[in-house]
Amino acid sequence: MDINFVRRQFPALEQEFTYMDNAGGSQTLSKVAERISGYLLHHNVQLGASYKVSREAGEKLSYATNEVAKFINASCPEEVVIGPSSSMLLRILSLSLSKQWQEGDEVIVTNTDHEANVSPWTDLEEKGIKVKIWKVNPETLELDLSALKELLSKRTKLVAVNHASNVLGTINPIKEITEIAHKAGALICVDGVAYAPHRQVNVKELDVDFYVFSWYKTYGPHLAVMYGKYDLLYEMDGINHYFFGKKDVPYKFQPGNFNFELTYSLLGITEYFEEFYREHFRSTKKLDTPEKLAKSFDIIARYEERISTPLLTFLNENPEIRIIGYPEADRNKRVPTISFVHSKMKSDEIVKQVDEHRIGIRFGDFYAKKLIQDLGLEKKNGVVRISLVHYNTADEVKRLIEVLKKIL
């Protein structure tokens, strides 16, 4: 991977600061900022009017949502719901979808998820929905598929699970989980927030029913997207005004509409990955967007595996450290979101000492409270989390290791 090409796209990286809290929020592409500015300065009008600027604005936003649909390989742009955050989109989904459910129906959530994909479902207990918890194996720190099969029943309506844990970094086998859920007659809702910055999201290949992730953790603005299969979205009641019906997809799930300038800026992300492909592949063979993204994210995954290997090796060699997640840098098993605890030091004590070296990492539960509680890590003030992405460098990782050697 051409790291110099990548870093040139992120102006913030020119500062003398090392960003390793990327799972909390990535740095933003310059193209994204340019799109926001361009829209606000030249097309900041309400949509749907007959005058020229409004028509142009509508065309620009339609083009942007079409490109987002291609980016995740949705069947059509109507399957793309834009919202202010993953938490809000998942809440909207739970409110809308549960209108079709009856008292005694069941939902399965995990204890490894960010609360965004837990609370919207557990809150349905007030309506008589039964919630079951799919718990991580405390030894392997993985979700056992056999445990899921035991939880499923004829009344299971939905399985809510993350594609990658924002604490463990573990990649869950979503395609296999989806097959198991569908075989039992259940839908699946996937939180891809911790996965999307690192790997291709191909909703058709996964066959998921709903998939949500945040753009501000995927090199863009503070905005989120929810994919839903069109037939499911069509049949659901929305939360918009009463005069919007079944056919008003996705607008019936977007009260007040989406944010125009931020939605338009998503083109900066899709264009970046198009340029990334052209920069790294000189083939004249014409490929579609999912094929290009598959090749590009393969390069990214290999690069992330390479730069995270020395960090995980260092942590594994320290007998006082326990890695909370898969201990190796295998790109097929994890993303480079790396959490650990120290046997003698609390997590906040470690992070605050790292702060002095202009390196940004973080400690806490990261809203995966059930996981931290079940693993007994509250007394440590959560975990230390180092979250890398593909604009981080081997030299940055080396520098962090040197800092950690002095502290640990």
Side-chain angles (χ1 to χ4, degrees):
M1 193 190 79
D2 185 345
I3 185 61
N4 293 322
F5 162 80
V6 169
R7 288 180 68 87
R8 283 197 302 271
Q9 316 308 313
F10 296 89
L13 303 183
E14 296 173 8
Q15 304 175 65
E16 292 183 4
F17 189 86
T18 300
Y19 294 94
M20 292 185 172
D21 181 30
N22 299 295
S26 66
Q27 295 309 297
T28 307
L29 289 155
S30 58
K31 289 180 179 296
V32 168
E34 290 164 7
R35 290 287 187 174
I36 293 172
S37 176
Y39 188 91
L40 287 174
L41 294 176
H42 302 293
H43 289 90
N44 190 31
V45 298
Q46 184 57 280
L47 304 186
S50 57
Y51 56 86
K52 182 181 178 183
V53 179
S54 180
R55 295 198 310 271
E56 289 177 346
E59 289 167 1
K60 287 179 177 295
L61 289 165
S62 177
Y63 178 70
T65 51
N66 268 284
E67 291 302 298
V68 170
K70 291 179 187 176
F71 186 78
I72 62 174
N73 201 21
S75 296
C76 60
E78 288 76 18
E79 293 184 326
V80 172
V81 183
I82 302 292
S85 66
S86 293
S87 296
M88 181 59 75
L89 287 173
L90 287 162
R91 180 68 63 175
I92 290 170
L93 177 62
S94 73
L95 292 172
S96 301
L97 186 59
S98 64
K99 291 180 181 180
Q100 302 173 352
W101 298 348
Q102 305 297 321
E103 184 175 348
D105 285 341
E106 300 173 356
V107 176
I108 296 173
V109 300
T110 85
N111 71 337
T112 67
D113 273 76
H114 184 290
E115 198 66 19
N117 200 25
V118 179
S119 292
W121 309 112
T122 57
D123 286 352
L124 296 177
E125 289 179 308
E126 297 174 359
K127 298 181 179 181
I129 304 301
K130 182 178 180 181
V131 178
K132 295 179 177 179
I133 311 294
W134 181 13
K135 292 197 172 189
V136 70
N137 184 313
E139 300 300 322
T140 65
L141 295 179
E142 295 184 3
L143 292 169
D144 293 334
L145 299 184
S146 58
L148 171 62
K149 292 175 183 177
E150 292 176 7
L151 292 172
L152 288 161
S153 77
K154 293 180 180 179
R155 297 299 299 267
T156 305
K157 292 297 181 181
L158 181 97
V159 176
V161 63
N162 59 74
H163 205 156
S165 165
N166 73 328
V167 171
L168 303 172
T170 306
I171 297 173
N172 290 317
I174 292 300
K175 191 170 183 179
E176 194 172 351
I177 293 170
T178 298
E179 291 172 355
I180 292 169
H182 285 171
K183 188 175 180 180
L187 301 174
I188 183 168
C189 174
V190 180
D191 176 353
V193 172
Y195 181 87
H198 308 282
R199 304 288 187 272
Q200 179 190 22
V201 175
N202 187 330
V203 294
K204 278 185 186 173
E205 182 181 344
L206 296 171
D207 194 30
V208 291
D209 301 297
F210 306 102
Y211 195 104
V212 180
F213 67 90
S214 300
W215 293 108
Y216 76 97
K217 298 180 181 182
T218 314
Y219 319 116
H222 208 292
L223 201 67
V225 61
M226 178 176 73
Y227 159 81
K229 288 181 177 175
Y230 181 80
D231 290 346
L232 295 174
L233 296 178
Y234 181 88
E235 291 299 329
M236 288 161 53
D237 291 332
I239 64 168
N240 213 327
H241 305 305
Y242 75 91
F243 43 81
F244 294 110
K246 288 183 179 296
K247 63 179 176 58
D248 294 303
V249 179
Y251 190 38
K252 64 183 178 180
F253 304 109
Q254 297 172 164
N257 219 324
F258 48 54
N259 181 294
F260 296 156
E261 65 271 18
L262 299 188
T263 300
Y264 184 62
S265 79
L266 300 180
L267 286 173
I269 301 171
T270 61
E271 289 169 353
Y272 165 67
F273 280 101
E274 178 67 29
E275 287 188 15
F276 183 99
Y277 174 80
R278 290 201 303 268
E279 184 72 20
H280 292 85
F281 298 96
R282 306 300 181 187
S283 172
T284 57
K285 184 179 178 182
K286 191 171 182 180
L287 301 178
D288 60 20
T289 298
E291 290 172 320
K292 291 178 183 177
L293 287 171
K295 293 174 76 67
S296 296
F297 273 103
D298 181 63
I299 287 180
I300 288 171
R302 292 173 185 275
Y303 176 81
E304 289 182 340
E305 179 183 79
R306 182 165 65 82
I307 65 169
S308 59
T309 294
L311 176 58
L312 281 163
T313 299
F314 163 73
L315 294 173
N316 277 310
E317 289 174 348
N318 188 325
E320 304 295 340
I321 287 175
R322 178 191 175 196
I323 295 172
I324 307 301
Y326 191 75
E328 307 298 331
D330 185 345
R331 64 185 179 276
N332 298 308
K333 298 282 287 185
R334 65 141 57 243
V335 297
T337 298
I338 299 164
S339 299
F340 69 89
V341 290
H342 193 277
S343 64
K344 297 175 183 174
M345 301 177 69
K346 290 187 176 181
S347 296
D348 58 315
E349 296 171 347
I350 297 169
V351 171
K352 288 173 183 176
Q353 291 186 65
V354 174
D355 289 345
E356 300 170 7
H357 298 270
R358 296 186 60 78
I359 299 174
I361 62 174
R362 191 179 285 259
F363 69 92
D365 59 41
F366 307 103
Y367 289 14
K369 287 185 177 291
K370 291 178 176 59
L371 177 63
I372 298 302
Q373 290 168 353
D374 288 350
L375 295 180
L377 299 177
E378 288 177 296
K379 61 182 180 293
K380 290 290 183 181
N381 291 332
V383 298
V384 176
R385 188 179 73 177
I386 302 160
S387 46
L388 310 175
V389 290
H390 71 290
Y391 56 60
N392 288 121
T393 68
D395 284 343
E396 286 178 331
V397 173
K398 183 178 179 180
R399 180 165 169 260
L400 173 64
I401 292 171
E402 292 304 312
V403 170
L404 289 175
K405 282 179 180 178
K406 297 174 184 176
I407 296 170
L408 306 177

